mmCIF file of all heavy atoms in Angstrom:
data_model
loop_
_atom_site.group_PDB
_atom_site.id
_atom_site.type_symbol
_atom_site.label_atom_id
_atom_site.label_comp_id
_atom_site.label_asym_id
_atom_site.label_seq_id
_atom_site.Cartn_x
_atom_site.Cartn_y
_atom_site.Cartn_z
ATOM 1 N N ALA A 79 7.374 8.421 -3.919
ATOM 2 C CA ALA A 79 8.181 7.376 -4.000
ATOM 3 C C ALA A 79 7.651 6.352 -5.089
ATOM 4 O O ALA A 79 8.408 5.895 -5.820
ATOM 5 C CB ALA A 79 8.132 6.577 -2.647
ATOM 6 N N PHE A 80 6.385 6.214 -5.153
ATOM 7 C CA PHE A 80 5.735 5.321 -6.167
ATOM 8 C C PHE A 80 6.048 5.944 -7.561
ATOM 9 O O PHE A 80 6.489 5.173 -8.464
ATOM 10 C CB PHE A 80 4.240 5.227 -5.931
ATOM 11 C CG PHE A 80 3.489 4.553 -7.011
ATOM 12 C CD1 PHE A 80 3.361 3.145 -7.112
ATOM 13 C CD2 PHE A 80 2.866 5.403 -8.005
ATOM 14 C CE1 PHE A 80 2.669 2.549 -8.087
ATOM 15 C CE2 PHE A 80 2.273 4.664 -9.150
ATOM 16 C CZ PHE A 80 2.070 3.226 -9.108
ATOM 17 N N ASN A 81 5.885 7.241 -7.774
ATOM 18 C CA ASN A 81 6.039 7.835 -8.998
ATOM 19 C C ASN A 81 7.525 7.895 -9.488
ATOM 20 O O ASN A 81 7.879 7.588 -10.705
ATOM 21 C CB ASN A 81 5.620 9.287 -9.023
ATOM 22 C CG ASN A 81 4.042 9.330 -8.994
ATOM 23 O OD1 ASN A 81 3.330 8.482 -9.316
ATOM 24 N ND2 ASN A 81 3.560 10.500 -8.466
ATOM 25 N N VAL A 82 8.468 7.959 -8.516
ATOM 26 C CA VAL A 82 9.841 7.852 -8.784
ATOM 27 C C VAL A 82 10.250 6.497 -9.197
ATOM 28 O O VAL A 82 10.977 6.265 -10.138
ATOM 29 C CB VAL A 82 10.723 8.258 -7.535
ATOM 30 C CG1 VAL A 82 12.200 7.938 -7.683
ATOM 31 C CG2 VAL A 82 10.585 9.769 -7.277
ATOM 32 N N ALA A 83 9.709 5.385 -8.368
ATOM 33 C CA ALA A 83 9.994 4.063 -8.762
ATOM 34 C C ALA A 83 9.486 3.773 -10.212
ATOM 35 O O ALA A 83 10.176 2.989 -10.986
ATOM 36 C CB ALA A 83 9.233 3.160 -7.834
ATOM 37 N N LYS A 84 8.310 4.305 -10.527
ATOM 38 C CA LYS A 84 7.823 3.924 -11.838
ATOM 39 C C LYS A 84 8.482 4.621 -12.942
ATOM 40 O O LYS A 84 8.908 4.095 -13.995
ATOM 41 C CB LYS A 84 6.351 4.258 -11.823
ATOM 42 C CG LYS A 84 5.508 3.858 -13.102
ATOM 43 C CD LYS A 84 3.989 4.001 -13.096
ATOM 44 C CE LYS A 84 3.340 3.589 -14.349
ATOM 45 N NZ LYS A 84 3.555 2.125 -14.587
ATOM 46 N N ARG A 85 8.676 5.985 -12.863
ATOM 47 C CA ARG A 85 9.385 6.755 -13.916
ATOM 48 C C ARG A 85 10.745 6.420 -14.140
ATOM 49 O O ARG A 85 11.266 6.302 -15.258
ATOM 50 C CB ARG A 85 9.237 8.205 -13.666
ATOM 51 C CG ARG A 85 9.821 9.071 -14.649
ATOM 52 C CD ARG A 85 9.529 10.552 -14.430
ATOM 53 N NE ARG A 85 10.047 11.326 -15.450
ATOM 54 C CZ ARG A 85 9.740 12.552 -15.732
ATOM 55 N NH1 ARG A 85 8.865 13.260 -14.946
ATOM 56 N NH2 ARG A 85 10.405 13.259 -16.660
ATOM 57 N N ASN A 86 11.427 6.028 -13.037
ATOM 58 C CA ASN A 86 12.902 5.824 -13.204
ATOM 59 C C ASN A 86 13.242 4.336 -12.949
ATOM 60 O O ASN A 86 14.508 4.003 -12.961
ATOM 61 C CB ASN A 86 13.648 6.641 -12.088
ATOM 62 C CG ASN A 86 13.483 8.128 -12.283
ATOM 63 O OD1 ASN A 86 14.146 8.706 -13.159
ATOM 64 N ND2 ASN A 86 12.559 8.668 -11.510
ATOM 65 N N ARG A 87 12.236 3.429 -12.896
ATOM 66 C CA ARG A 87 12.497 1.951 -12.681
ATOM 67 C C ARG A 87 13.528 1.723 -11.547
ATOM 68 O O ARG A 87 14.445 1.073 -11.781
ATOM 69 C CB ARG A 87 12.959 1.476 -14.080
ATOM 70 C CG ARG A 87 11.984 1.740 -15.176
ATOM 71 C CD ARG A 87 12.450 1.361 -16.548
ATOM 72 N NE ARG A 87 11.494 1.592 -17.584
ATOM 73 C CZ ARG A 87 11.612 1.179 -18.838
ATOM 74 N NH1 ARG A 87 12.754 0.629 -19.216
ATOM 75 N NH2 ARG A 87 10.688 1.527 -19.752
ATOM 76 N N LYS A 88 13.218 2.327 -10.437
ATOM 77 C CA LYS A 88 14.092 2.287 -9.233
ATOM 78 C C LYS A 88 13.540 1.566 -8.168
ATOM 79 O O LYS A 88 12.377 1.378 -8.112
ATOM 80 C CB LYS A 88 14.302 3.791 -8.872
ATOM 81 C CG LYS A 88 15.328 4.025 -7.745
ATOM 82 C CD LYS A 88 15.606 5.515 -7.508
ATOM 83 C CE LYS A 88 16.392 5.723 -6.277
ATOM 84 N NZ LYS A 88 17.821 5.251 -6.588
ATOM 85 N N TRP A 89 14.459 0.921 -7.380
ATOM 86 C CA TRP A 89 14.069 0.259 -6.227
ATOM 87 C C TRP A 89 14.146 1.153 -4.999
ATOM 88 O O TRP A 89 15.122 1.885 -4.766
ATOM 89 C CB TRP A 89 15.047 -0.891 -5.919
ATOM 90 C CG TRP A 89 14.848 -2.043 -6.759
ATOM 91 C CD1 TRP A 89 14.772 -2.138 -8.164
ATOM 92 C CD2 TRP A 89 14.541 -3.512 -6.313
ATOM 93 N NE1 TRP A 89 14.541 -3.414 -8.582
ATOM 94 C CE2 TRP A 89 14.347 -4.260 -7.506
ATOM 95 C CE3 TRP A 89 14.445 -4.004 -5.165
ATOM 96 C CZ2 TRP A 89 14.196 -5.627 -7.386
ATOM 97 C CZ3 TRP A 89 14.179 -5.445 -5.035
ATOM 98 C CH2 TRP A 89 13.991 -6.178 -6.109
ATOM 99 N N ILE A 90 12.939 1.297 -4.255
ATOM 100 C CA ILE A 90 12.864 2.250 -3.210
ATOM 101 C C ILE A 90 12.263 1.453 -1.883
ATOM 102 O O ILE A 90 11.404 0.677 -2.178
ATOM 103 C CB ILE A 90 11.961 3.431 -3.477
ATOM 104 C CG1 ILE A 90 12.563 4.212 -4.748
ATOM 105 C CG2 ILE A 90 11.667 4.266 -2.354
ATOM 106 C CD1 ILE A 90 11.763 5.375 -5.133
ATOM 107 N N CYS A 91 12.729 1.708 -0.818
ATOM 108 C CA CYS A 91 12.212 1.104 0.344
ATOM 109 C C CYS A 91 11.701 2.114 1.398
ATOM 110 O O CYS A 91 12.368 3.052 1.781
ATOM 111 C CB CYS A 91 13.351 0.318 1.029
ATOM 112 S SG CYS A 91 12.765 -0.744 2.469
ATOM 113 N N ILE A 92 10.436 1.818 1.795
ATOM 114 C CA ILE A 92 9.717 2.612 2.927
ATOM 115 C C ILE A 92 9.776 1.814 4.173
ATOM 116 O O ILE A 92 9.350 0.732 4.175
ATOM 117 C CB ILE A 92 8.349 2.986 2.512
ATOM 118 C CG1 ILE A 92 8.291 3.840 1.230
ATOM 119 C CG2 ILE A 92 7.620 3.692 3.659
ATOM 120 C CD1 ILE A 92 6.924 4.075 0.702
ATOM 121 N N SER A 93 10.524 2.350 5.133
ATOM 122 C CA SER A 93 10.553 1.638 6.485
ATOM 123 C C SER A 93 10.039 2.608 7.501
ATOM 124 O O SER A 93 10.819 3.604 7.886
ATOM 125 C CB SER A 93 11.988 1.256 6.714
ATOM 126 O OG SER A 93 12.166 0.546 7.988
ATOM 127 N N SER A 94 8.883 2.293 7.888
ATOM 128 C CA SER A 94 8.237 3.306 8.889
ATOM 129 C C SER A 94 7.307 2.596 9.720
ATOM 130 O O SER A 94 6.823 1.567 9.531
ATOM 131 C CB SER A 94 7.423 4.348 8.119
ATOM 132 O OG SER A 94 7.086 5.532 8.847
ATOM 133 N N ARG A 95 7.078 3.140 10.998
ATOM 134 C CA ARG A 95 6.368 2.580 12.058
ATOM 135 C C ARG A 95 4.987 2.014 11.670
ATOM 136 O O ARG A 95 4.436 2.522 10.813
ATOM 137 C CB ARG A 95 6.306 3.430 13.233
ATOM 138 C CG ARG A 95 5.286 4.656 13.021
ATOM 139 C CD ARG A 95 4.991 5.336 14.310
ATOM 140 N NE ARG A 95 4.237 4.602 15.299
ATOM 141 C CZ ARG A 95 3.826 4.880 16.520
ATOM 142 N NH1 ARG A 95 4.203 6.205 16.882
ATOM 143 N NH2 ARG A 95 3.229 4.148 17.254
ATOM 144 N N SER A 96 4.535 0.990 12.442
ATOM 145 C CA SER A 96 3.171 0.462 12.181
ATOM 146 C C SER A 96 2.230 1.488 12.439
ATOM 147 O O SER A 96 2.294 2.294 13.388
ATOM 148 C CB SER A 96 2.950 -0.669 13.222
ATOM 149 O OG SER A 96 1.723 -1.242 13.045
ATOM 150 N N GLY A 97 1.137 1.594 11.548
ATOM 151 C CA GLY A 97 0.062 2.540 11.753
ATOM 152 C C GLY A 97 0.339 3.856 10.992
ATOM 153 O O GLY A 97 -0.464 4.816 11.218
ATOM 154 N N SER A 98 1.475 3.984 10.177
ATOM 155 C CA SER A 98 1.794 5.180 9.597
ATOM 156 C C SER A 98 0.973 5.313 8.234
ATOM 157 O O SER A 98 1.340 6.335 7.468
ATOM 158 C CB SER A 98 3.355 5.371 9.387
ATOM 159 O OG SER A 98 3.689 4.257 8.605
ATOM 160 N N GLY A 99 0.221 4.457 7.854
ATOM 161 C CA GLY A 99 -0.640 4.567 6.680
ATOM 162 C C GLY A 99 -0.137 3.969 5.454
ATOM 163 O O GLY A 99 -0.532 4.324 4.299
ATOM 164 N N LYS A 100 0.817 3.049 5.539
ATOM 165 C CA LYS A 100 1.499 2.446 4.333
ATOM 166 C C LYS A 100 0.533 1.704 3.534
ATOM 167 O O LYS A 100 0.468 1.814 2.375
ATOM 168 C CB LYS A 100 2.768 1.571 4.802
ATOM 169 C CG LYS A 100 3.795 2.364 5.379
ATOM 170 C CD LYS A 100 4.943 1.444 5.877
ATOM 171 C CE LYS A 100 4.552 0.351 6.860
ATOM 172 N NZ LYS A 100 4.280 0.910 8.176
#
Side-chain angles (χ1 to χ4, degrees):
F80 172 85
N81 289 335
V82 169
K84 186 168 182 63
R85 179 168 182 171
N86 298 282
R87 301 174 181 185
K88 184 175 176 61
W89 282 57
I90 297 175
C91 185
I92 298 171
S93 180
S94 196
R95 68 169 295 179
S96 177
S98 57
K100 297 182 295 296

